[in-house]
Amino acid sequence: MNKAQLTWKHMVAQLDRELDWLAETLAEQLKRTAETGRLSGPITDLPIPPLSEVETPYNEFVRSYDLGPGERLLVMLTLAPYLRPTLLQLLATRHPDGKIRPELGAFSSHSFPGFLPTVNTALFLLGGNSLEDRIVWMHFIQREFVLVKQGWIRLETLQRHEPETGALMKPGREMMRWITEGQLGTPDFGADFPAEQITTAREWEELVLSPGTEAQVNELLDWVKYEKVVMDELGLRNKVAPGFRALFYGPPGTGKTFTTSLLGKVTGRPVFRIDLSQVVSKYIGETEKNLRSVFDQAEQRDWILFFDEADALFGKRTSVSDAKDRYANQEVSYLLQRIELHDGLVVLATNHRDNLDKAFTRRFQLVVQFPMPNPSERLRLWQNALPPEVELAEDVYLPELADRYELSGGSIMNVIRYCVLQAARRDSKVVLATDCMEGVRREYRKVGRIIK
């Protein structure tokens, strides 16, 4: 048996022991509640399964977060429907009238005939009927539990009018992959985590910027590289606010997203783009909630956060005409404060700098303009965009294209995409001048311009 097989065997055995421990704890809690009617506190006298002598992903997870007995029970409770679906059938205990006991908090759905745990289930498991212990654990789970704050465990309220303790406890995809496979996945994209990771296959050398923009971007790159040295070893942490905030502004296609992706690539930091359509909610208080998990995880895992089209959320605040406007402005103010206190890199991008609230723009350490490229920069963009496998016809003269047609880097990539597609349709590797001109016309029409 090789090392991987041995680790797998010990991991399965360990998870079995942890699930048995959860089942015994639930059964004992149900028994004591039935006998006494009221408990003085959580169960602490059941033996805790020892961690495996062979290092497993679960061992690493427990040690990484220094999980105590109660926290390990919460992890197993969350994983039980996935690893041992029948375990929570213990909670099918009913009153004499046939109804499920509400204090057990478990939820059953049509698609899953078993039981799904809620925060109420966790409170019963750890606190029984003791009001004092339920309050302590409720505060811990909802406000302090690091696995919830970082998105390893997600709390999902089914209906807005329901109490928060009715929220389902579900494992994030990352936790499932780490504990069962030893691999770290990416967070699930959705309303609770309105961000997706962006990457690029291109290299830093392909970035074409004006000299002034390039100098500022290099300054930002230096900050990402030397932040810990500057803040900790050189003592700046006690002098300035944490983190770094940069604003990228300029027309579409000028490299704002590409530059941010490259910053992450060359520094080894994941870049997550915030989806503002998922963030902005018509329900008061939801905007803050939707972003909280993103910020909490970013601070712990050294992510770069990227807000595209930032003026949609951080634009000039509305005049207060009713309570809805007042709460909307309060939400924006909260987010501004959270970004300002964020201990990491935040990049905001906008096509129109003037649309941003001036009170907010003053909080940036760096404001970088991404102007339309000049002819020499456009020529480099044309050259970088062409794949080495593609040939140019004799009548295609890139310096003339770069000089005559004012296009952004993104638009030039669209032209090249169109040209290569036309070559493929001809079963050829040669790009014709007619392809280039039609591609340019298409880009001009997008913005209402005509080639003269």
Side-chain angles (χ1 to χ4, degrees):
M1 183 179 295
N2 59 36
K3 183 177 180 181
Q5 291 173 324
L6 184 64
T7 300
W8 171 260
K9 180 180 178 181
H10 279 269
M11 182 191 72
V12 172
Q14 184 171 33
L15 291 177
D16 256 334
R17 290 194 299 271
E18 296 281 315
L19 290 167
D20 289 342
W21 176 46
L22 171 65
E24 292 170 8
T25 305
L26 271 175
E28 184 65 21
Q29 190 70 293
L30 287 166
K31 176 184 175 183
R32 295 185 187 185
T33 304
E35 291 175 350
T36 64
R38 185 174 184 83
L39 297 179
S40 59
I43 293 177
T44 57
D45 53 356
L46 292 180
I48 302 170
L51 293 177
S52 173
E53 295 180 0
V54 175
E55 189 63 25
T56 67
Y58 181 73
N59 280 8
E60 183 184 359
F61 190 79
V62 170
R63 293 194 180 106
S64 294
Y65 289 96
D66 193 23
L67 302 182
E71 295 158 313
R72 283 168 62 179
L73 281 171
L74 289 174
V75 170
M76 286 299 110
L77 180 67
T78 305
L79 294 176
Y82 302 84
L83 301 181
R84 194 183 290 178
T86 59
L87 191 153
L88 296 186
Q89 289 300 112
L90 289 166
L91 300 175
T93 306
R94 298 174 181 269
H95 280 304
D97 59 6
K99 294 181 179 179
I100 295 176
R101 296 169 56 176
E103 69 268 27
L104 304 183
F107 173 83
S108 182
S109 70
H110 295 293
S111 60
F112 181 74
F115 285 89
L116 299 173
T118 67
V119 174
N120 272 323
T121 312
L123 297 181
F124 173 78
L125 173 67
L126 297 170
N129 289 330
S130 167
L131 178 60
E132 179 181 356
D133 288 301
R134 285 178 64 88
I135 291 174
V136 169
W137 279 107
M138 179 171 61
H139 178 80
F140 173 78
I141 293 170
Q142 295 176 335
R143 302 290 181 264
E144 298 179 5
F145 193 15
V146 64
L147 300 187
V148 172
K149 291 177 67 175
Q150 294 188 16
W152 297 105
I153 295 176
R154 293 157 46 193
L155 307 182
E156 296 186 358
T157 304
L158 298 179
Q159 301 292 334
R160 297 186 181 279
H161 63 272
E162 292 181 353
E164 290 186 5
T165 53
L168 291 175
M169 297 182 64
K170 299 179 64 177
R173 182 171 59 185
E174 284 188 301
M175 184 168 78
M176 286 293 292
R177 291 200 64 188
W178 186 349
I179 289 178
T180 61
E181 302 176 32
Q183 299 178 8
L184 192 60
T186 57
D188 296 317
F189 174 80
D192 289 339
F193 189 84
E196 58 183 345
Q197 188 172 2
I198 58 173
T199 59
T200 180
R202 300 172 69 186
E203 301 299 332
W204 189 267
E205 292 73 22
E206 299 180 62
L207 184 62
V208 178
L209 301 172
S210 66
T213 302
E214 184 177 6
Q216 288 184 293
V217 169
N218 284 331
E219 179 184 340
L220 181 55
L221 178 61
D222 287 340
W223 172 264
V224 177
K225 287 181 176 179
Y226 304 114
E227 174 189 0
K228 289 182 171 54
V229 173
V230 170
M231 297 296 280
D232 297 324
E233 296 181 23
L234 300 181
L236 201 59
R237 189 171 297 279
N238 296 327
K239 303 293 184 180
V240 299
F244 198 94
R245 287 151 292 283
L247 172 67
F248 292 174
Y249 73 96
T254 49
K256 300 182 291 294
T257 303
F258 180 38
T259 299
T260 308
S261 300
L262 285 173
L263 282 170
K265 183 175 184 177
V266 300
T267 59
R269 297 189 183 189
V271 179
F272 280 82
R273 176 167 53 195
I274 311 298
D275 185 343
L276 293 176
S277 66
Q278 290 277 356
V279 171
V280 181
S281 173
K282 64 181 178 180
Y283 297 101
I284 293 171
E286 285 296 302
T287 299
E288 301 174 17
K289 179 181 177 182
N290 290 346
L291 274 177
R292 187 178 299 122
S293 64
V294 179
F295 278 105
D296 287 341
Q297 294 190 61
E299 288 178 351
Q300 295 293 326
R301 305 186 201 180
D302 220 11
W303 293 344
I304 296 173
L305 295 182
F306 178 60
F307 288 82
D308 201 2
E309 300 181 18
D311 46 321
L313 184 60
F314 303 104
K316 296 176 181 178
R317 283 170 275 190
T318 62
S319 59
V320 178
S321 59
D322 56 26
K324 184 177 180 180
D325 289 338
R326 182 168 62 254
Y327 281 113
N329 284 342
Q330 287 176 358
E331 285 189 337
V332 172
S333 296
Y334 164 81
L335 292 172
L336 298 181
Q337 182 183 35
R338 186 65 194 263
I339 287 177
E340 187 171 16
L341 296 176
H342 178 63
D343 191 5
L345 175 60
V346 179
V347 178
L348 284 82
T350 178
N351 298 335
H352 307 286
R353 177 185 177 182
D354 292 341
N355 289 348
L356 287 178
D357 189 334
K358 291 183 179 180
F360 181 47
T361 57
R362 288 194 294 267
R363 307 182 191 195
F364 290 105
Q365 278 73 48
L366 204 60
V367 176
V368 185
Q369 182 182 14
F370 284 73
M372 289 292 288
N374 61 31
S376 64
E377 292 160 0
R378 291 199 293 269
L379 178 58
R380 290 172 57 198
L381 289 166
W382 279 102
Q383 293 168 337
N384 288 344
L386 278 168
E389 296 82 2
V390 170
E391 301 174 16
L392 296 178
E394 292 183 359
D395 57 349
V396 177
Y397 188 52
L398 292 184
E400 181 181 358
L401 289 172
D403 186 62
R404 290 186 59 184
Y405 303 111
E406 187 180 2
L407 296 170
S408 68
S411 294
I412 290 173
M413 285 300 304
N414 289 338
V415 175
I416 294 297
R417 187 194 304 267
Y418 173 80
C419 292
V420 174
L421 177 60
Q422 299 312 303
R425 291 178 63 184
R426 295 189 299 268
D427 193 23
S428 170
K429 294 183 178 181
V430 179
V431 169
L432 305 178
T434 53
D435 299 333
C436 295
M437 288 309 303
E438 179 56 27
V440 171
R441 285 192 192 94
R442 289 159 61 96
E443 292 304 305
Y444 266 49
R445 283 198 293 266
K446 288 179 183 179
V447 294
R449 298 175 66 185
I450 300 175
I451 294 179
K452 297 180 180 179

